[in-house]
Amino acid sequence: MSAEMDALVAAATNKLEALEAALYNLKNVRGRFTAEDGSVSVEVDSDGALVGLDLSEAVTSHSPAEVGQLIIWACQQAAQNAGEQRSEVVATLNSAFTAPESGNVGGRAE
């Protein structure tokens, strides 16, 4: 293969690997949050869906309405955390696709 073709194949391979890594990392995003008093801990997936909820004995010191609000608030915080993680994955992927490539493979010099 010519050097130009080798560079084209390498660039395509690098982008494919970056895409596969992003897909893997997006599947594994987990947002977590624990209330300051430790009474409620939640975990959400990359879509913000609740996948884990732990209530400690400390939760009994709160009214049911307070516990409900605390769970909702903790879920919001965990979802925000998951969103930040997703943003990092996407930013990494974007940088792999927008990084300047060496040479002018497949294009015309102007």
Side-chain angles (χ1 to χ4, degrees):
M1 261 193 243
S2 70
E4 186 176 297
M5 196 60 158
D6 288 343
L8 180 63
V9 169
T13 300
N14 290 340
K15 288 179 181 178
L16 177 60
E17 289 172 355
L19 181 58
E20 288 172 343
L23 291 172
Y24 175 81
N25 290 334
L26 286 172
K27 279 191 223 177
N28 291 301
V29 165
R30 290 290 185 264
R32 294 176 183 86
F33 186 82
T34 300
E36 193 172 301
D37 66 357
S39 60
V40 175
S41 294
V42 299
E43 180 178 4
V44 300
D45 65 11
S46 64
D47 295 322
L50 183 64
V51 295
L53 172 63
D54 291 318
L55 304 175
S56 74
E57 188 69 29
V59 80
T60 60
S61 66
H62 300 288
S63 73
E66 290 173 332
V67 173
Q69 288 300 311
L70 190 55
I71 291 170
I72 291 168
W73 183 73
C75 287
Q76 290 171 335
Q77 298 304 307
Q80 182 178 350
N81 178 263
E84 291 166 0
Q85 292 177 45
R86 275 193 320 271
S87 293
E88 290 174 17
V89 170
V90 171
T92 300
L93 176 63
N94 284 341
S95 68
F97 275 78
T98 58
E101 296 181 25
S102 59
N104 192 11
V105 178
R108 291 186 183 159
E110 297 190 27

